[in-house]
Every structure is written in C-alpha cells, then in structure tokens.
Amino acid sequence: MTTAARTTRPAIRFRGRSFMALVLAPEPPITDWLTELDAQIQRSPAFFQGRPVVVDLSALPMRKQDLAALIEDLQRRDIRLIGIEGADPAWLGSEAWGLPPLMTGSRPAGLIEVPDGAQAVAPSAEARPAASLLLDRPVRSGQSVIFPEGDVTVVGSVASGAEIIAGGSIHVYGTLRGRAIAGSSGNGRARIFCRKLEAELLAIDGLYKTADDMEPKLRGRAVQAWLDGDAMVLAALD
C-alpha cells in the first residue's frame, strides 16, 4: 500500500490595512461643478497630486455613458481615480467600460480643507505641529479616528464599533472595546497600550489579532501589544 506524497505549502497570510482616500461628490449641473473644480485646482495645483480619489455619485443621477464622460473629464485634470460609489449596482463589471470599480462599505472621515496656492507650501520645521493627536473625550461607537502622521492618545474609552487608526502608536487611558490599528503607515515599531483590554481587533503594521485570538487571561487587564518579527505579542502591564 503506497501513500501519495503531499507537498506542504506555507499558509497565505492576509494583511488588513486602511488607507485615506479623498472623495469627490459632483453635484448638478455638472458643468458648473467642473468649473468650480478647475478654479480650485488653479488655486492649489498640487492638491490632488499622488492622492487616491473616489467619486461619489449619490447626488448625481446619470447613465453609465454619462459617467464614462465624467471619468474622462477628471482624468484629463490628472485626478487619480481608484473607484466609484453611489452608482447603480447593475453597473458591476464597469471595468470593461474602462471605469474604476464600484466600491461599498466606506466610512466618512470628516471634511478635508483644501489650501489656497499660497498656503500649499509645506511649513517650516519650527512651525510643523507635533506628530501626535490627543483626544480628551471617549470615542463613541461608529466613530473612526484616522491620524496617519503619528501617535494617537485617547483620554477615555474606545467603544465597541469605534476605530482608531494611527501611523504611530496608540494609547488608550480607558477601556479599549473597538478596533485599534497602529503603524498604519508601515511603522513596525508602533505599539498599542490600553488600561483595560476588551478589543474587537488589534493591528500593527498589517499584522492583527481578533478578539478570538487574544488570551482570555488578558481580557479586562492593562495590556500592551507590539510586533516580534512576524508575530504580534500581547503582555499585561500590571
């Protein structure tokens, strides 16, 4: 009796990562909206350079052919499109038309103020703010705090269904029940600290642990998390 040899292959590891994208929401009449867009680009020519953009069609009923024309108008303005949302679900497969893919499940991250051309120059080192964000109130369920520039400190709790995304480390001086995603800009040295661990998910530089992966003895305790090679390590602080 012979046994067929099996080739053992390493499991594929999937990494979750969040990125910030701008959302353009055209409004009718589209010609007037494009005129305002041109004026904004003239005031701040570098604003869209290198930025991924999603087009939200919620306020602009249109046919697929009209959308193709709008996409061409935006691409002529060197706007880098990665997707569309708010479109007819029947348009799935629009890539065949040369259109960006349909996107769903986005969460708003607040308005972004576009600087005038005179303000678009990077500030001097002396004027540049510290790479940290301090929140002196709890983060409620459904809220998403995104700060890719550095550390985030929460003086309070992070509710279930809330999310903190930081380019650096995350400090929660309360109960962490939601999701904490540190090192989102590729910082493998980032850490996560919380006074009481009840988290739904912890992630550092793309590696993550869900609630089911965390040791039961650490639940409800003050904990820190960091990366050791390709593994996330959790340890009690008390």
Side-chain angles (χ1 to χ4, degrees):
M1 179 175 174
T2 60
T3 302
R6 293 185 179 180
T7 302
T8 302
R9 296 182 179 179
I12 297 175
R13 183 175 66 186
F14 294 91
R15 290 190 174 191
R17 186 162 295 178
S18 297
F19 294 90
M20 176 75 77
L22 296 176
V23 176
L24 281 176
E27 300 177 357
I30 192 63
T31 52
D32 292 348
W33 183 84
L34 288 171
T35 299
E36 292 183 10
L37 179 63
D38 287 335
Q40 182 62 68
I41 293 174
Q42 187 173 7
R43 290 194 298 270
S44 183
F47 181 72
F48 288 105
Q49 289 182 3
R51 293 176 181 256
V53 176
V54 175
V55 180
D56 182 1
L57 303 176
S58 301
L60 193 67
M62 57 169 47
R63 301 171 300 168
K64 186 183 290 188
Q65 295 88 337
D66 299 328
L67 173 59
L70 173 61
I71 298 302
E72 290 180 3
D73 286 334
L74 296 175
Q75 290 175 339
R76 280 197 297 269
R77 291 162 171 81
D78 294 325
I79 295 177
R80 178 180 158 209
L81 300 173
I82 63 169
I84 58 178
E85 64 177 354
D88 188 338
W91 293 0
L92 288 172
S94 296
E95 295 86 344
W97 290 63
L99 303 179
L102 294 176
M103 303 182 72
T104 60
S106 65
R107 291 189 298 273
L111 296 176
I112 297 177
E113 187 169 339
V114 184
D116 290 335
Q119 301 173 334
V121 179
S124 63
E126 293 78 13
R128 191 170 292 138
S132 63
L133 175 66
L134 173 64
L135 303 175
D136 58 0
R137 62 180 64 86
V139 182
R140 299 189 301 274
S141 179
Q143 289 185 314
S144 181
V145 177
I146 303 173
F147 188 72
E149 290 82 7
D151 297 354
V152 173
T153 300
V154 181
V155 184
S157 298
V158 178
S160 177
E163 181 179 65
I164 306 291
I165 302 175
S169 298
I170 295 175
H171 307 257
V172 179
Y173 291 96
T175 302
L176 172 56
R177 295 189 176 92
R179 297 178 295 275
I181 301 170
S184 64
S185 301
N187 182 2
R189 300 180 63 184
R191 296 197 176 203
I192 299 172
F193 303 86
C194 65
R195 179 168 291 178
K196 185 177 181 181
L197 178 68
E198 299 288 348
E200 299 165 352
L201 179 142
L202 301 178
I204 301 175
D205 190 24
L207 295 175
Y208 66 90
K209 281 183 179 288
T210 63
D212 293 338
D213 299 325
M214 301 173 198
E215 295 183 51
K217 67 179 182 180
L218 294 177
R219 306 293 290 186
R221 299 180 64 181
V223 167
Q224 69 165 318
W226 70 94
L227 294 186
D228 183 2
D230 287 336
M232 183 185 295
V233 180
L234 275 66
L237 288 171
D238 52 11

